[in-house]
Amino acid sequence: MDKLKIKVAIQISKSAEKVYEAIVNPEQMKNYFISKGSARLENGKTVYWQFPEFPIDIPVRVKTIRPHNLIHFAWDASSGEELMVKIALEQLSNGSTVVRVEETGMTNNEAGLAWLTGNTEGWANFLACLKAWMEYQINLRRGAFDFMVSGNNT
């Protein structure tokens, strides 16, 4: 069966160097995406991310890092399938950066389609939160998913 693929992108009015640092540095990521990260993303390293709405450590296995250009890692779906994530940064001549996220790995079936919907929404949220933080120092994620923690997610 074919594997499903998520593709989302956004332009951020900051240099690729600054956007890259905001993604690989857990102290910066805490301002817009995760609640805790065990270490910087580096080639060959496994780091652990926590999200405010999920009380577990999620292992992130870094495959390739090309500073200011590419962040490639693997993590696992709840079904156990390995998912590959590539975050590509393209510096434009005006000093802004296009951030493209691609995630692949789920099988094209009912569970995969549910994943496709949820994770597409998640990566679009990641990009919106990254842009809001980078350009305006606004943490869009703060409080946004409290309903999931409190059990009121119906």
Side-chain angles (χ1 to χ4, degrees):
M1 285 186 133
D2 292 333
K3 296 293 183 177
L4 297 171
K5 181 185 291 189
I6 293 168
K7 293 174 91 172
V8 294
I10 202 165
Q11 185 170 333
I12 297 176
S13 297
K14 297 291 178 182
S15 70
E17 181 179 359
K18 288 182 180 179
V19 174
Y20 169 82
E21 186 62 24
I23 297 171
V24 300
N25 183 335
E27 291 305 310
Q28 289 197 37
M29 285 186 85
K30 290 190 318 189
N31 293 307
Y32 68 91
F33 188 54
I34 60 175
S35 58
K36 181 181 176 186
S38 65
R40 288 177 62 86
L41 298 178
E42 296 176 356
N43 280 318
K45 193 179 233 182
T46 297
V47 302
Y48 296 87
W49 287 347
Q50 285 183 3
F51 294 86
E53 63 275 17
F54 306 114
I56 58 172
D57 287 337
I58 298 173
V60 175
R61 298 177 301 280
V62 180
K63 301 296 185 183
T64 307
I65 296 283
R66 288 198 310 258
H68 318 144
N69 183 264
L70 177 70
I71 299 151
H72 178 207
F73 63 85
W75 57 4
D76 298 325
S78 57
S79 64
E81 291 182 76
E82 183 177 60
L83 306 174
M84 303 304 282
V85 177
K86 290 183 181 179
I87 303 173
L89 308 176
E90 178 188 353
Q91 175 98 34
L92 302 180
S93 60
N94 66 3
S96 66
T97 302
V98 175
V99 182
R100 290 184 173 83
V101 179
E102 185 177 290
E103 184 174 22
T104 59
M106 287 294 285
T107 303
N108 188 357
N109 57 26
E110 189 173 324
L113 293 174
W115 164 84
L116 183 71
T117 301
N119 278 34
T120 299
E121 182 179 288
W123 284 116
N125 179 267
F126 164 82
L127 290 176
C129 291
L130 174 62
K131 182 175 180 69
W133 177 253
M134 294 293 304
E135 293 183 8
Y136 306 103
Q137 285 67 58
I138 297 170
N139 185 337
L140 291 179
R141 197 167 172 91
R142 183 177 295 125
F145 299 102
D146 286 355
F147 69 97
M148 294 175 78
V149 176
S150 66
N152 297 324
N153 56 354
T154 55

